[in-house]
Amino acid sequence: MTERIKGKRIPWLGGVSYGKRLKKLHAWNAWLLVLLAVTGVLLLVPALRGTMGAGRVWLKYAHIGLGAASLLVLAAYAPLLPKHWRQLRARAGQRWNLGVVLGLLAGWGVTGLVLWQYNALPPVWANRALWLHDAFTWVGVPYAAYHAFSRSRWVKAARSSSAASGEAAAPGAALTAAGAVVAALKRSPVSRATFLRLAAGAVLVAVVGPSMYRWLKNATDTGGDATGQLRLEDGNRMVPPPDPLPASLPPAGGGAQGRFRVYTVTPIPAFSSESWQFALSGLVEKEQVWSWEQFLQLKRTVQVSDFHCITGWSVYKVTWEGILLRDLLDLAQVKDRAKYVKFYSGDKVYTDALSLEQARMDDVLVAVLMDGEPIPQKLGGPVRLIVPQMYAYKSVKWLQAIELIEKEHIGYWELRGYENDAWVKT
């Protein structure tokens, strides 16, 4: 069924009036925004990554689907926008609100599309899209909550009550002392409805403000020592610490540019040099087991590389120091039957793998230092894998064992829907 608006035929299902169409679109948009906010928060919380497991991947797909539905609602509203805008000619506040809402929806949609297509675009696109997507969320969700409350039945009832009580006031009420107080309150520029809106705004600022400040501080603090606090909170007890090569201290890359986000699928493990060991086994001629002190005696190299997470953030020009993985493989003398290299995290849960050809790339490193300092516990120290040409879920944290295998191994996140070959587009 179609209807004409100023000579234009607009397809629409249901045959409802213009006003009802606006109301329906508003309701659909509101519910989609609620669902997007809930799924987005669940995806954001690091503590839920391990708890949800495969459910997190499905939640991500659901979030993307809800975003696509929101764009469809926006597209359905587009033909109605000119008439709606003209109707609000004398209502500057409602026009302003409409502009803000449309801007937020368009911003969420565009940045969401870029994040969805992360593997088709260079990482810098995803970096900027993630920052903007977060910014729209920090502004948009509180704004939507305030908007919903300010138009709720409680505020409308307060407004109606104030109007009714003003009309019903007796002319002589102000002659008594009590009547004078009542009259003064009625003459106050702050009505009950306005007070409720102001109170709701204050509560939102008190609840959201501190978290938004921390996000903004972290998002803009991208230079210097971005991991200083993590080093102060380090729970590892590894002695002696690695003695950095000259290219590590000062860092050859000038210091990491960006901020790491701490993700884990298990409680963060802590290690002590007294019990720590590193094993290399499987299809090799000479299995190896090193203690901490023995591991530090292996020949190390320094490289500067960028670190990209599949969720959209990056840290640039990180100076890593460690042992080239191919050198470790040569020490163990890999057998001809070996086709893959499997990595075990010290959290006893996380695993991943590379093909033997990938493992022998020039920049795949078993790292022990980052920017000339021990790798912080929360970032995978004391030892972690670094695969610069792939997304970070391949760079196994708390690395403690390597096994040469013949058949392909499907890693933790690959088992839950991520790509096995996690190449970063350059």
Side-chain angles (χ1 to χ4, degrees):
M1 186 174 183
T2 61
E3 181 175 341
R4 291 186 177 274
I5 297 180
K6 294 284 185 179
K8 296 180 180 179
R9 295 177 64 84
I10 301 176
W12 193 261
L13 295 175
V16 294
S17 66
Y18 167 81
K20 288 183 178 180
R21 287 205 299 273
L22 283 179
K23 189 174 181 180
K24 276 189 174 184
L25 287 171
H26 186 273
W28 290 343
N29 185 60
W31 279 112
L32 285 169
L33 183 57
V34 169
L35 293 173
L36 281 166
V38 171
T39 54
V41 168
L42 291 175
L43 288 170
L44 177 67
V45 178
L48 296 178
R49 294 175 70 85
T51 304
M52 289 191 292
R56 188 181 185 281
V57 177
W58 290 109
L59 188 67
K60 177 182 176 181
Y61 292 147
H63 189 74
I64 293 170
L66 290 167
S70 179
L71 290 177
L72 289 176
V73 170
L74 193 61
Y77 169 72
L80 309 180
L81 174 58
K83 180 177 180 179
H84 191 202
W85 188 257
R86 289 193 299 271
Q87 287 179 333
L88 300 178
R89 185 181 299 108
R91 302 174 185 176
Q94 291 189 28
R95 268 195 172 187
W96 185 86
N97 174 72
L98 178 60
V100 170
V101 170
L102 291 177
L104 288 169
L105 291 175
W108 270 318
V110 172
T111 56
L113 286 171
V114 173
L115 290 171
W116 175 38
Q117 294 298 315
Y118 69 92
N119 57 351
L121 299 167
V124 67
W125 285 59
N127 298 167
R128 293 169 182 170
L130 179 63
W131 192 95
L132 289 170
H133 201 76
D134 286 349
F136 284 126
T137 301
W138 280 113
V139 173
V141 172
Y143 182 84
Y146 176 79
H147 177 77
F149 180 81
S150 64
R151 286 158 176 75
S152 66
R153 59 172 174 266
W154 300 289
V155 174
K156 289 180 180 178
R159 188 182 296 115
S160 300
S161 175
S162 297
S165 61
E167 294 172 358
L175 298 178
T176 65
V181 174
V182 172
L185 289 173
K186 289 175 181 177
R187 291 195 300 271
S188 171
V190 180
S191 66
R192 189 186 308 173
T194 301
F195 173 78
L196 287 174
R197 290 197 297 269
L198 290 174
V203 169
L204 280 172
V205 169
V207 172
V208 178
S211 297
M212 183 178 181
Y213 170 77
R214 287 192 296 271
W215 167 80
L216 187 61
K217 184 176 183 298
N218 291 338
T220 55
D221 181 15
T222 58
D225 183 7
T227 58
Q229 186 61 36
L230 294 179
R231 290 194 173 101
L232 292 175
E233 299 169 352
D234 202 304
N236 290 336
R237 296 293 178 264
M238 309 299 291
V239 291
D243 187 17
L245 296 171
S248 278
L249 199 62
Q257 297 180 8
R259 180 171 290 272
F260 288 90
R261 300 190 182 193
V262 178
Y263 294 154
T264 178
V265 298
T266 64
I268 296 175
F271 302 91
S272 168
S273 52
E274 296 178 356
S275 57
W276 185 91
Q277 66 176 22
F278 194 102
L280 199 164
S281 62
L283 297 176
V284 296
E285 299 292 347
K286 298 179 180 179
E287 293 193 352
Q288 305 284 334
V289 178
W290 294 280
S291 67
W292 176 246
E293 291 193 20
Q294 290 170 335
F295 198 73
L296 294 184
Q297 299 304 312
L298 297 174
K299 179 185 176 183
R300 300 201 297 271
T301 188
V302 177
Q303 70 177 36
V304 179
S305 59
D306 301 330
F307 186 92
H308 303 293
C309 180
I310 196 172
T311 58
W313 57 267
S314 299
V315 180
Y316 295 91
K317 296 184 178 180
V318 189
T319 301
W320 301 102
E321 181 179 326
I323 305 99
L324 288 172
L325 179 56
R326 67 184 183 191
D327 289 348
L328 290 179
L329 299 180
D330 290 342
L331 284 174
Q333 298 179 16
V334 178
K335 293 182 178 180
D336 292 339
R337 289 193 296 120
K339 297 294 185 294
Y340 298 93
V341 185
K342 182 179 178 182
F343 306 98
Y344 295 85
S345 170
D347 65 6
K348 311 301 183 186
V349 172
Y350 198 94
T351 62
D352 214 305
L354 297 172
S355 70
L356 192 55
E357 292 75 15
Q358 293 167 349
R360 287 191 175 278
M361 291 188 298
D362 293 341
D363 55 0
V364 179
L365 196 69
V366 178
V368 297
L369 290 170
M370 184 181 74
D371 283 349
E373 299 284 347
I375 301 172
Q377 173 196 15
K378 290 184 178 180
L379 298 185
V383 174
R384 72 168 299 161
L385 186 68
I386 296 297
V387 188
Q389 298 183 53
M390 294 187 176
Y391 284 104
Y393 64 88
K394 285 291 187 178
S395 296
V396 178
K397 291 186 288 190
W398 310 300
L399 184 64
Q400 275 199 280
I402 297 174
E403 182 183 10
L404 276 295
I405 56 178
E406 186 174 4
K407 295 183 179 179
E408 185 178 27
H409 170 73
I410 305 301
Y412 182 92
W413 280 119
E414 292 88 336
L415 193 62
R416 291 159 174 79
Y418 283 23
E419 295 178 2
N420 202 34
D421 288 330
W423 299 108
V424 175
K425 184 178 178 61
T426 58

